[in-house]
């Protein structure tokens, strides 16, 4: 429900806003022959110790009990709450930006 309400609010705010035209400077990228070369066969990677998983019995694991545990439920709720606050913060930032542009336009300045 929060996602629907926040999406509708964001759409209402952004439908009143038009982006100013921005001209980006021309950036020239180096050609591939000027990039540094890396010789992969000569890179030494440290050996990792192997872990023997043959003795692990996964048949005793109950995935339903793990997903219904209070810790998993609280972590899920915390994730949803964090995403909700991030969406609300982003929307508030967009509203402040629109208010700032309106204030600059009312002072006679052009924000373009």
């Amino acid at each position: 429900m929060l996602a629907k309400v926040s999406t509708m609010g964001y759409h209402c705010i952004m439908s009143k806003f038009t982006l100013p035209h921005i001209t980006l400077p021309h950036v020239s990228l180096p050609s591939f022959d000027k990039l540094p070369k890396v010789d992969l066969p000569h890179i030494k990677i440290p050996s990792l110790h192997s872990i023997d998983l043959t003795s692990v019995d996964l048949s005793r694991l109950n995935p339903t009990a793990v997903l219904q545990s209070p810790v998993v439920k609280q972590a899920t709720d915390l994730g949803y709450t964090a995403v909700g606050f991030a969406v609300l913060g982003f929307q508030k930032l967009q509203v402040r930006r629109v208010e700032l542009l309106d204030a600059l336009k009312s002072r006679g300045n052009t924000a373009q």
Side-chain angles (χ1 to χ4, degrees):
M1 183 67 182
L2 175 64
K4 289 181 182 178
V5 172
S6 62
T7 303
M8 288 173 29
Y10 179 76
H11 178 67
C12 289
I13 291 170
M14 294 307 290
S15 63
K16 299 175 188 173
F17 178 73
T18 57
L19 292 172
H21 178 69
I22 298 173
T23 305
L24 297 175
H26 177 70
V27 176
S28 62
L29 297 174
S31 63
F32 287 113
D33 58 341
K34 294 182 181 178
L35 293 175
K37 300 203 182 331
V38 177
D39 193 10
L40 292 178
H42 290 86
I43 295 177
K44 296 196 186 240
I45 299 174
S47 62
L48 300 174
H49 299 287
S50 63
I51 300 172
D52 184 20
L53 296 176
T54 57
S55 62
V56 177
D57 185 17
L58 295 178
S59 65
R60 297 185 312 171
L61 183 64
N62 185 0
T64 306
V66 171
L67 292 176
Q68 292 177 352
S69 73
V71 174
V72 173
K73 287 184 178 181
Q74 288 203 349
T76 304
D77 290 344
L78 179 66
Y80 288 144
T81 304
V83 169
F85 279 127
V87 168
L88 291 174
F90 183 75
Q91 287 178 345
K92 189 165 190 128
L93 180 68
Q94 296 296 328
V95 170
R96 294 279 171 99
R97 182 176 48 84
V98 170
E99 289 173 351
L100 178 64
L101 287 173
D102 289 343
L104 289 173
K105 287 179 184 176
S106 69
R107 288 178 53 190
N109 297 335
T110 57
Q112 289 183 5

